[in-house]
Amino acid sequence: MLFIRDSLPQDIPEIAAIYAHWVTHGLASFELAPPEEAEMAARRDAVLAGGYPHMVAVAGAGTVLGYAYASAYRTRPAYRFTVENSVYVAPGAGRGGVGRALLSALITRCTAQDFRLMVAVIGDSGNAASIALHARAGFAHAGLLPAIGWKHGRWVDSVLMTRALGPGAETPPAD
């Protein structure tokens, strides 16, 4: 059984381990070295201090199988109704609905907070799993940044996908 809840400080070791795997072995993150637990805790604190959600997917036994959060897409004030999402699933837990459950919960939470657009910046145009996950959640392809990063001895693209939240751009936000 899978349960989605807000992350807690005690989740940081598992969150850090999940992220470290993908930094070391994948292209979803453009970081080159995995951050220490203290840095991951500080990042979580910054997300929460900004008023954004930070959640985990937990198995029945209490094991963290993934995490997701939203953050500011850009810091300029005009972007304040746009969020960027991040979703990471533990190695071996893919294709079990963890990413889908996390992204769905994140969309719901951000919509309730009156954000109007969610942006996915997907590392590697070959990341078919993440692209498909976002497409199934209603994201549309918005662009490609070719060869924008250098990691693991090669140039890596970023795929941009967007999804309207709530009324999207149909009405002005309550400011």
Side-chain angles (χ1 to χ4, degrees):
M1 177 159 184
L2 189 64
F3 179 66
I4 307 296
R5 63 165 169 77
D6 289 336
S7 67
L8 300 169
Q10 56 264 36
D11 297 323
I12 291 298
E14 289 174 287
I15 289 170
I18 291 167
Y19 189 61
H21 172 83
W22 295 114
V23 168
T24 303
H25 302 288
L27 298 168
S29 169
F30 280 23
E31 288 199 66
L32 301 178
E36 299 292 329
E37 287 181 19
E39 173 61 21
M40 293 300 286
R43 291 179 188 187
R44 176 186 171 272
D45 291 347
V47 165
L48 296 174
Y52 302 102
H54 195 287
M55 300 177 283
V56 292
V58 181
T63 303
V64 174
L65 297 178
Y67 72 102
Y69 62 92
S71 58
Y73 173 66
R74 296 283 187 265
T75 57
R76 302 276 198 281
Y79 292 114
R80 69 191 175 280
F81 298 101
T82 302
V83 293
E84 182 176 337
N85 78 68
S86 293
V87 179
Y88 290 93
V89 176
R95 301 195 185 277
V98 175
R100 183 174 54 248
L102 281 165
L103 185 54
S104 177
L106 194 63
I107 289 167
T108 298
R109 182 78 65 84
C110 289
T111 300
Q113 289 181 241
D114 203 28
F115 291 110
R116 297 299 186 91
L117 184 73
M118 185 173 281
V119 178
V121 181
I122 300 168
D124 188 23
S125 56
N127 189 343
S130 186
I131 292 167
L133 168 70
H134 285 86
R136 283 192 305 271
F139 285 74
H141 182 81
L144 175 72
L145 302 173
I148 195 165
W150 177 263
K151 187 171 179 184
H152 298 318
R154 70 179 184 95
W155 289 106
V156 183
D157 301 333
S158 280
V159 175
L160 302 176
M161 298 181 79
T162 60
R163 183 194 193 283
L165 301 175
E170 297 295 318
T171 62
D175 204 4

